[in-house]
């Protein structure tokens, strides 16, 4: 599929990263426009109406999160944040402010472009429509029948509690995208309380055990440390 109808805006002050990203994206057929600070980024956003923004948070004039806030006042286009490795708080804040996903610097080219494609795909179809006909979801060997609330891995049915199933179904509906702990807790239990994260971790440990995953070898659900969980697109 040609990507050339998609226009990407890259907001990044480090020239070598911008060049790398531009080459990558253009090789895949995207149109690319760039900006090297917040002000320029917002200007390019208003005048060029890109389909997706790749946004560095550490920009010379203002905090990159300003761009998220301003763009979200008028648009729901995907925003992928570039963030430093250690900055879990920044990642969570960015996601809470409306960024769709983040990639940790230094990032792998393949990983970033996969996220870009994933966001553009998700934007084209609503979460409902990423399900296969008949209310099914499939990633690798994992399959979910939403109508029957049934999860199978290969040939075997996995017996989840109601809560566990709800978590797995929620992650599957946002497959490929990280969901913060707070976002998951809000969806599953409503309001969060002091014990919520612990409760989520306990459920997640059970889910992964039942899926046959071992610590450090998580095929279906990735733990983004300090941020949240992501169901992997396989
Ligand atoms: Ca920077």
């Amino acid at each position: 599929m040609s990507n050339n109808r998609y226009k990407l805006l890259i907001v990044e002050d480090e020239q070598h990263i911008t060049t790398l990203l531009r080459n990558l994206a253009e090789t895949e057929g995207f149109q690319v426009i760039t900006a090297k600070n917040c002000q320029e980024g917002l200007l390019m956003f208003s005048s060029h109406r890109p389909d997706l923004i790749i946004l560095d948070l550490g920009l010379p004039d203002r905090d990159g999160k300003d761009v998220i806030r301003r763009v979200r006042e008028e648009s729901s286009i995907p925003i992928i944040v570039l963030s430093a490795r250690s900055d879990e708080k920044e990642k969570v804040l960015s996601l809470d402010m409306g960024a769709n996903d983040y990639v940790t610097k230094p990032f792998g080219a393949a990983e970033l472009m996969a996220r870009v494609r994933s966001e553009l795909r998700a934007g084209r179809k609503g979460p409902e429509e990423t399900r296969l006909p008949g209310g099914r979801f499939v990633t690798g060997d994992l399959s979910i029948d939403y109508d029957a609330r049934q999860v199978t891995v290969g040939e075997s049915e996995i017996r989840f509690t109601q809560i566990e199933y709800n978590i797995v179904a929620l992650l599957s509906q946002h497959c490929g995208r990280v969901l913060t702990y707070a976002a998951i807790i809000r969806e599953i239990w409503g309001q969060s309380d002091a014990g919520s994260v612990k409760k989520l971790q306990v459920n997640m440990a059970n889910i992964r055990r039942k899926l046959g995953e071992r610590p450090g070898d998580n095929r279906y659900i990735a733990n983004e440390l300090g941020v949240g969980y992501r169901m992997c697109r396989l």
Side-chain angles (χ1 to χ4, degrees):
M1 185 198 76
S2 169
N3 293 314
N4 58 15
R5 58 205 173 96
Y6 290 117
K7 197 188 295 175
L8 311 188
L9 168 59
I10 299 166
V11 188
E12 165 67 82
D13 60 321
E14 287 172 76
Q15 188 57 50
H16 69 282
I17 296 183
T18 306
T19 305
L20 171 77
L21 290 178
R22 177 193 282 282
N23 291 342
L24 267 174
E26 286 181 348
T27 301
E28 298 211 8
F30 292 103
Q31 287 179 52
V32 177
I33 48 176
T34 63
K36 52 188 182 308
N37 56 45
C38 288
Q39 197 190 354
E40 228 180 83
L42 288 168
L43 205 66
M44 296 299 260
F45 164 71
S46 320
S47 51
H48 291 266
R49 294 285 146 186
D51 299 291
L52 182 144
I53 301 177
I54 297 172
L55 173 70
D56 180 33
L57 289 182
L59 292 164
D61 57 342
R62 273 180 282 158
D63 189 316
K65 291 198 293 304
D66 268 15
V67 174
I68 303 176
R69 189 173 45 75
R70 295 280 295 281
V71 168
R72 279 291 170 265
E73 284 169 4
E74 51 180 298
S75 169
S76 59
I77 61 158
I79 301 175
I80 299 175
V81 158
L82 302 177
S83 168
R85 180 166 297 284
S86 54
D87 239 339
E88 272 74 38
K89 217 192 228 165
E90 285 286 286
K91 293 172 187 167
V92 173
L93 269 173
S94 302
L95 293 168
D96 285 347
M97 289 177 75
N100 297 71
D101 209 338
Y102 64 83
V103 171
T104 301
K105 281 179 169 182
F107 51 84
E111 183 194 3
L112 177 60
M113 292 318 289
R115 297 283 163 77
V116 167
R117 285 191 297 271
S118 173
E119 289 306 325
L120 290 170
R121 199 162 41 217
R124 213 164 48 226
K125 307 175 276 181
E128 294 293 312
E129 291 157 65
T130 59
R131 302 171 177 189
L132 297 179
R136 290 186 81 83
F137 165 88
V138 176
T139 184
D141 293 338
L142 175 74
S143 154
I144 304 175
D145 179 333
Y146 292 116
D147 299 327
R149 294 174 66 85
Q150 195 180 56
V151 180
T152 51
V153 170
E155 298 294 298
S156 20
E157 184 185 344
I158 312 294
R159 299 194 154 272
F160 284 128
T161 66
Q162 293 284 334
I163 295 275
E164 288 163 6
Y165 171 81
N166 290 344
I167 294 171
V168 172
L170 176 68
L171 289 171
S172 74
Q173 281 155 14
H174 300 270
C175 188
R177 177 181 289 179
V178 66
L179 292 183
T180 61
Y181 303 128
I184 299 171
I185 288 162
R186 210 162 41 231
E187 285 290 326
I188 302 297
W189 289 285
Q191 289 296 62
S192 85
D193 57 62
S196 300
V197 173
K198 185 74 203 158
K199 220 158 44 175
L200 175 58
Q201 285 169 339
V202 169
N203 275 281
M204 199 56 79
N206 290 332
I207 289 169
R208 292 166 131 177
R209 184 174 43 75
K210 292 180 183 181
L211 288 175
E213 305 197 306
R214 290 177 300 278
D217 175 28
N218 299 305
R219 197 165 139 65
Y220 303 108
I221 300 172
N223 182 8
E224 308 269 334
L225 273 180
V227 180
Y229 295 99
R230 178 197 310 272
M231 184 166 282
C232 307
R233 209 181 276 283
L234 299 170

